[in-house]
Amino acid sequence: MSSLENKGNLLGDVRAEHDHNMLDTAFYDWQDYKILAEADGRFLVVGRRGTGKSALTYRLMKDWKAQKNFVIVVAPNEEDVFGLRAAAAKYGQTLTRIRSAIKTGWRYALIMELGCALEQYYKTQNMISASALNAPLKKWKGLGDNIVSRLKKTLNDAIIPGESAEESISELATRLNLNSLTCDLDELLRVAGKRVMILIDRLDEGYESDEVGIGIVDGIIYGSDDLRTKTSNIRTILFLRDNIFRAIQISDQDFSRNVEGSVLRLHWDVQELFYLVCKRIRQAFSIDVESDVKVWNSVTANELHGREGFKSCLKLTLYRPRDLISLLNTAFYNAKKQGRKVLIVDDLDASANHISEIRFDDLRKEYSSVFPGIDDVAKSLAPFGPSLNVFQASSAIEKIMQNDENPLVYQHLKILGTAQEVLKALYGVGFIGMADKTSGNIVFSHDGKKPERLFDQNSMLLIHPCYWSALGIKKGFPDQNISEQIYDEYDITISSEVKEQRDLSIGGMIAELGKIELGNEDASQFEDWAKRAIELISAGKLTNIQLKPNGNGSARRDIVGTNMATEGFWRRIREDYSSRQIIFEVKNFEKMSVNEYRQCASYLGNEYGRFAFLICRDTQKELSKGGEMEAFREFYNKNEVVVKLTASFLVSLLSKLRSPQKFDTLDDALTKHIDNHIRLYANGQGGVVKKKGR
């Protein structure tokens, strides 16, 4: 390649699967590659998008094959993973059960795939046909055309109708004859004098951040680890996106302890990125010069010369190969259109405008599952320009927090609680940086790190330059002072700050209930707790929720909210029972009698319709036989519905809010609760025998 003609991606494609030419001829074997190529200790490789996971998969595959090793690459596709979710869910709905089933099934699947590969090799072909692997291999090959579809069928077939999920999990390894097959395969490889490398990539395909999705990836990690540790001739390496790694780390309490020493986090520094680019420039322009600085200077104008000029380019990226290659590809294309063969600042500026939109879209895609509305919150800060203080940022965010048009976003911001907590979340995902008074640096964290101190109102913040153009911030190329101040934190302890904030907020509220004593003395505290719980559970559905809105009236309702729902459970309540205003009567004791039902029903009528909730401290959400059930039936027969809602049931609903993906499950739980009242209790069925309570 000697010129720019017809080269839209002069330095290679940002997608590794389309970049084989550059990976073959100009691959830079940086430190992380050498660790994986030369040592067996690290089997889980973690990195954000664009840090080189798929490039490593391709290059390791090629280099290991050249060393006469067996190499198997596993890269699931989206549609097969969706099918695997259904099979995994049959073994239970909790992460631990799903993980256990997938761990066993995945280890078996890898053994079968290795057997298929060894059948094609002339030196091991006869050995396989004479081994215990032969029969299960024939069955395995008839189950589908790839590892995931075959695993799905295997898991489905292993379940015996009528047995419990626990029995299915405990018997799975025995039914698959797993331990015996593992030993047979390892011995076969030993005799053949062969070593196998398994590379597992693209585990984000079809991934969903719920219990099933996390459990599947968690099980694949454990299953791969099991196979490598229980054999002598098999090595496995998994490549995992950072956000999935963090989701597993939070959900699986044993994860860090079990795999901590086996994780390699992909990290690029300025020097390594400079070497990577210069190798590609040599190849693209056929430059035969040893000095990297001279190579860089040969394709850039004076203001971009040298390592400092290269650093100024990096400030428009998130210090990832994909960002940098994309930036320079577009810049070279811009230069070509102007008839130039060297880059100037204007070329990079125009390129930054293009990739900024892509980077902002990546931010939305990567974090919207744990931070609903992140794009709207980010855009609210743009009018202040690249730099703003905490007071300005908080004011803008508070306006977003008052907008309840999108229930999911409104609820998430309500859970985070304050504008300060939202700012912490934006810092944790690298959108804003915080000025460090000691060093003068503006510190950015791209891996969820929690700020070591709280923001004060005068703290200065900076929106990361890579997002400026996408947000319409007219500061195309960062001035050198700001560029020099930016410091990106990579080598840090990983945690999902947004997830932690949700969990801490909800966990604190749940813990608070345990400190509220039963009885009249703490009644006002319980009413306040109930109001805040209702605000979270019904966020975006009920508005203007007030505590004792008519405290001086004769009918003193405890909590009232306006029903503005356009779908789901709350819409059903408005349409079926004409309840535009929803009543919540709150009692800080356990046992409900007809008197409490009568008091609650007396508040109905007009805008309040024919429906109300009666909140109490009962430990059972079901109605007790006799008193409660008869009271409910009495008013139901008068066409009035008073539904008991216990504090423990509210706690279960709050717990579901730990994951934004479970937003709709609240409606499902409330719908089922109401259906039980109408289908069972109204007919005198169901209910529990209740002991006497306060």
Side-chain angles (χ1 to χ4, degrees):
M1 286 175 278
S2 58
S3 68
L4 294 175
E5 280 74 14
N6 300 318
K7 286 291 179 182
N9 292 326
L10 186 70
L11 300 189
D13 201 295
V14 295
R15 298 160 297 175
E17 59 269 30
H18 301 295
D19 193 38
H20 291 177
N21 183 53
M22 275 295 181
L23 291 175
D24 287 339
T25 58
F27 179 75
Y28 170 59
D29 52 348
W30 83 107
Q31 187 61 34
D32 291 340
Y33 166 80
K34 292 176 181 177
I35 290 173
L36 293 173
E38 298 169 7
D40 290 349
R42 307 297 180 94
F43 88 97
L44 184 57
V45 182
V46 179
R48 292 190 75 204
R49 292 181 178 182
T51 50
K53 297 185 296 298
S54 294
L56 279 171
T57 300
Y58 172 77
R59 188 66 196 208
L60 287 171
M61 174 194 70
K62 181 178 180 180
D63 292 348
W64 282 339
K65 281 185 175 180
Q67 297 169 15
K68 307 300 182 183
N69 291 307
F70 270 107
V71 182
I72 294 179
V73 178
V74 177
N77 57 51
E78 187 176 70
E79 54 270 26
D80 285 325
V81 173
F82 286 141
L84 183 59
R85 284 176 58 87
K90 294 179 181 179
Y91 287 83
Q93 292 297 317
T94 64
L95 183 143
T96 52
R97 292 182 180 181
I98 293 169
R99 179 189 66 200
S100 295
I102 294 295
K103 178 180 76 170
T104 302
W106 186 254
R107 185 173 140 202
Y108 175 80
L110 290 180
I111 290 171
M112 292 294 101
E113 290 296 304
L114 286 177
C116 292
L118 292 171
E119 275 189 323
Q120 306 303 313
Y121 181 56
Y122 73 98
K123 287 188 177 181
T124 54
Q125 195 173 53
N126 293 333
M127 297 170 67
I128 283 285
S129 62
S131 73
L133 290 162
N134 189 43
L137 272 177
K138 289 180 179 178
K139 180 180 178 182
W140 175 257
K141 288 184 288 187
L143 296 178
D145 57 3
N146 61 66
I147 186 172
V148 177
S149 62
R150 291 167 175 170
L151 173 59
K152 174 188 70 174
K153 192 70 166 60
T154 299
L155 291 174
N156 285 331
D157 291 347
I159 296 176
I160 295 177
E163 71 178 355
S164 67
E166 292 89 343
E167 289 175 313
S168 297
I169 293 170
S170 65
E171 294 297 322
L172 184 58
T174 302
R175 290 169 185 168
L176 297 177
N177 196 22
L178 184 58
N179 292 331
S180 177
L181 292 176
T182 303
C183 293
D184 288 350
L185 179 64
D186 196 38
E187 177 63 14
L188 187 150
L189 290 171
R190 186 192 67 79
V191 172
K194 282 294 181 182
R195 195 163 187 226
V196 177
M197 311 295 186
I198 305 174
L199 299 167
I200 304 166
D201 192 18
R202 287 171 49 188
L203 289 181
D204 55 314
E205 289 290 322
Y207 167 78
E208 295 182 22
S209 56
D210 55 10
E211 294 287 303
V212 177
I214 294 172
I216 288 174
V217 179
D218 202 15
I220 288 174
I221 292 170
Y222 278 89
S224 303
D225 191 27
D226 262 8
L227 185 61
R228 78 181 186 96
T229 55
K230 287 180 167 60
T231 59
S232 304
N233 303 289
I234 300 173
R235 184 179 178 193
T236 60
I237 295 180
L238 291 91
F239 296 90
L240 198 62
R241 272 244 307 274
D242 172 67
N243 61 322
I244 303 176
F245 177 80
R246 286 187 280 115
I248 296 172
Q249 196 176 39
I250 292 165
S251 300
D252 181 354
Q253 300 304 312
D254 298 323
F255 185 73
S256 294
R257 174 173 55 84
N258 290 334
V259 303
E260 185 175 4
S262 302
V263 176
L264 175 66
R265 174 160 290 282
L266 296 181
H267 169 76
W268 290 85
D269 60 26
V270 174
Q271 193 63 37
E272 288 178 326
L273 289 169
F274 187 56
Y275 291 151
L276 177 145
V277 164
C278 288
K279 286 203 76 167
R280 289 179 176 244
I281 290 173
R282 282 190 182 91
Q283 178 66 21
F285 289 91
S286 300
I287 298 174
D288 186 16
V289 175
E290 185 174 348
S291 167
D292 289 310
V293 173
K294 289 181 179 179
V295 169
W296 173 253
N297 289 348
S298 69
V299 296
T300 57
N302 291 337
E303 60 265 55
L304 294 176
H305 276 182
R307 297 178 189 272
E308 291 304 311
F310 176 74
K311 282 184 182 180
S312 67
C313 298
L314 281 182
K315 299 308 179 184
L316 295 168
T317 75
L318 290 178
Y319 285 65
R320 298 179 292 191
R322 184 180 68 172
D323 298 351
L324 185 57
I325 292 171
S326 178
L327 177 76
L328 293 176
N329 275 341
T330 308
F332 278 120
Y333 180 73
N334 293 335
K336 177 195 170 186
K337 290 195 297 183
Q338 300 296 323
R340 283 181 280 100
K341 294 187 177 181
V342 295
L343 301 181
I344 62 174
V345 170
D346 287 346
D347 297 324
L348 290 163
D349 197 6
S351 178
N353 292 340
H354 172 68
I355 69 169
S356 180
E357 295 284 350
I358 299 173
R359 294 292 79 81
F360 188 70
D361 191 50
D362 279 351
L363 179 79
R364 179 184 60 79
K365 289 177 180 176
E366 191 162 356
Y367 291 104
S368 60
S369 63
V370 294
F371 192 154
I374 187 173
D375 48 346
D376 292 333
V377 174
K379 289 175 183 176
S380 73
L381 305 184
F384 296 101
S387 180
L388 67 166
N389 61 37
V390 169
F391 176 77
Q392 292 171 317
S394 298
S395 299
I397 290 171
E398 284 167 0
K399 291 180 181 178
I400 295 287
M401 295 178 75
Q402 294 168 8
N403 185 346
D404 59 2
E405 291 181 3
N406 186 324
L408 180 57
V409 173
Y410 180 72
Q411 184 184 70
H412 177 70
L413 298 180
K414 196 83 175 175
I415 289 171
L416 293 184
T418 65
Q420 284 257 344
E421 296 302 315
V422 177
L423 282 175
K424 288 183 188 178
L426 290 177
Y427 171 83
V429 300
F431 178 76
I432 57 171
M434 178 172 56
D436 183 84
K437 294 179 180 178
T438 303
S439 65
N441 285 336
I442 300 170
V443 181
F444 286 85
S445 171
H446 297 297
D447 294 307
K449 186 178 182 182
K450 182 179 180 180
E452 294 179 357
R453 59 179 173 80
L454 293 175
F455 298 109
D456 62 57
Q457 291 297 300
N458 296 318
S459 292
M460 292 306 299
L461 307 172
L462 183 74
I463 297 172
H464 198 287
C466 77
Y467 300 120
W468 289 359
S469 180
L471 295 171
I473 296 174
K474 304 301 182 184
K475 195 80 173 176
F477 198 82
D479 68 49
Q480 193 61 29
N481 290 332
I482 290 178
S483 295
E484 289 174 354
Q485 292 171 8
I486 292 176
Y487 172 71
D488 289 283
E489 293 184 284
Y490 282 91
D491 190 17
I492 59 177
T493 301
I494 306 306
S495 65
S496 176
E497 175 61 17
V498 178
K499 182 71 164 64
E500 282 182 10
Q501 286 176 250
R502 284 184 76 101
D503 288 351
L504 286 172
S505 178
I506 293 169
M509 191 166 178
I510 292 172
E512 183 183 335
L513 177 65
K515 300 175 183 177
I516 301 175
E517 297 291 337
L518 294 169
N520 292 331
E521 187 173 338
D522 284 359
S524 60
Q525 292 183 49
F526 181 55
E527 288 173 352
D528 177 69
W529 183 91
K531 174 181 178 288
R532 287 181 284 125
I534 292 164
E535 285 177 334
L536 294 183
I537 290 165
S538 64
K541 308 293 180 67
L542 302 185
T543 62
N544 193 28
I545 299 172
Q546 291 183 292
L547 189 62
K548 297 188 182 302
N550 55 336
N552 296 323
S554 56
R556 292 187 288 273
R557 302 170 177 89
D558 287 338
I559 301 172
V560 177
T562 304
N563 190 350
M564 301 297 291
T566 59
E567 60 183 3
F569 169 80
W570 296 104
R571 177 180 176 180
R572 168 189 173 181
I573 298 304
R574 189 180 74 248
E575 293 182 348
D576 289 1
Y577 304 104
S578 303
S579 294
R580 173 65 71 177
Q581 300 292 327
I582 305 295
I583 296 170
F584 300 86
E585 187 65 15
V586 184
K587 303 298 179 185
N588 193 31
F589 49 90
E590 295 177 353
K591 186 175 175 63
M592 296 292 99
S593 68
V594 69
N595 292 329
E596 283 74 42
Y597 278 82
R598 185 172 293 121
Q599 178 188 1
C600 193
S602 70
Y603 299 149
L604 298 176
N606 297 327
E607 292 85 357
Y608 299 97
R610 297 177 286 105
F611 184 94
F613 281 111
L614 182 57
I615 299 178
C616 66
R617 298 292 294 276
D618 197 351
T619 56
Q620 295 284 347
K621 67 179 180 179
E622 297 83 8
L623 297 187
S624 61
K625 292 181 177 179
E628 289 179 343
M629 190 181 295
E630 289 304 313
F632 173 77
R633 292 180 68 192
E634 175 185 334
F635 293 100
Y636 181 79
N637 290 331
K638 296 177 182 179
N639 206 22
E640 295 174 337
V641 177
V642 178
V643 171
K644 185 177 84 168
L645 201 60
T646 66
S648 59
F649 185 48
L650 289 175
V651 165
S652 72
L653 296 178
L654 289 171
S655 295
K656 295 179 187 297
L657 289 176
R658 294 180 190 274
S659 172
Q661 287 72 35
K662 293 187 177 180
F663 180 74
D664 292 334
T665 63
L666 301 184
D667 268 17
D668 296 339
L670 287 167
T671 297
K672 184 177 179 181
H673 189 57
I674 302 303
D675 286 345
N676 283 340
H677 276 69
I678 294 171
R679 296 173 184 176
L680 298 177
Y681 308 144
N683 295 310
Q685 300 175 26
V688 294
V689 177
K690 182 70 66 177
K691 295 180 180 180
K692 290 185 178 180
R694 291 170 59 188

